[in-house]
Amino acid sequence: MQRLEQLVKTKFKGAQVLITGGLGFIGSNLARRLDGLGAAVTVVDSLIPDYGGNLYNLEGLQNRVQINVSDVRDTHSLRYLVQGKDYLFNLAGQTSHLDSMRNPMPDLEINCQAQLSILETCRAHNPTIKIVFASTRQIYGRPASLPVAETHPLNPVDVNGINKMAGEKYHLLYNDVYGIPATALRLTNTIGPRMRIKDARQTFVGLWVRQLLEGKPISVWGGKQLRDFTDVEDAVDAFLMAASSPLTNGKVYNLGGPEAVDLATIAKLMVEINGAGVCEISDFPAERRAIDIGDYYADYSKIRAELGWEPQRTLRDTLEVTLGYFRETLPRYL
């Protein structure tokens, strides 16, 4: 990671940075890192209750980071916000797969239509801005083979995956046609401090953290599905590396975790780390089973080869830090 340290020292000191979804989980951790690197950071977040934004995520930085409470669907505010920025980390999104099936129109507006509006705004008002888009492994659908590489067919199993796929394609198109430098990171399950734990809208691990700390059983559906997990600090590393290099323009990269673990095993590991708790394994609810992708873990050899990124933190370390953080701050996230 020495290469990363050198890059960020030269690239982000004094840089003007905009983060959409910047009060959310990954966005706020990214904002904190960038502030520490000497960047001038502006975050925009709608603070819509179901979407994960939380003012507490930037506690202590209110006088250092500019916070703009606005919706990415508001083209008027975006026109002002993108001007003069060197980097745009585009993390705004509706993340719930189940919500996208129950109420598809907001997902279409935020994950698809708003992404096109953001790009059009950049084309008109700041065509040299470097954009890193937060895409998702959900666009692959049910894997035909494992581990999943970037060349795997895209076949989403829910509305969220289809709209995220379109959002990613728009970014790559605007890179290729209009020369707006853009890249996409396909994220797997990202976990760590500041993630949403109220419910499973962002990640099931977040809900498990809440259940564990409230003394309730962890509810595990199925339990045999394999998943990989990315520590949020490792994800932040990847965003910074992708933004720093012109090599990434027009490309997509998988992120992954150090190991693939079945859901029952991770639940038991969380109980062990917490020192108390139980997990209960049950069948999938029908509406969840219909959009479950089964086993998934990523082949991240492309980003490792081209940028030198790879996970630095073990799953156990990540869970220890995460549980420790929420043990101290739980009321702020309920």
Side-chain angles (χ1 to χ4, degrees), residues 7-65:
L7 278 171
V8 296
K9 282 178 183 175
T10 57
K11 289 286 186 178
F12 296 108
K13 187 172 178 59
Q16 296 289 324
V17 178
L18 177 65
I19 306 173
T20 63
L23 289 172
F25 168 37
I26 300 174
S28 61
N29 282 284
L30 180 59
R32 287 178 172 276
R33 181 85 72 84
L34 283 162
D35 175 73
L37 293 168
V41 180
T42 300
V43 304
V44 57
D45 201 294
S46 66
L47 289 178
I48 295 173
D50 287 346
Y51 295 171
N54 187 334
L55 281 167
Y56 185 75
N57 280 340
L58 289 182
E59 180 68 20
L61 291 187
Q62 294 93 330
N63 296 325
R64 298 179 57 83
V65 171

Side-chain angles (χ1 to χ4, degrees), residues 11-18 39-40 81-89 126 128-131 181 243:
K11 289 286 186 178
F12 296 108
K13 187 172 178 59
Q16 296 289 324
V17 178
L18 177 65
L81 289 166
V82 302
Q83 293 182 39
K85 299 299 189 296
D86 300 304
Y87 300 96
L88 165 58
F89 293 96
N126 190 354
T128 62
I129 191 171
K130 175 63 180 273
I131 307 174

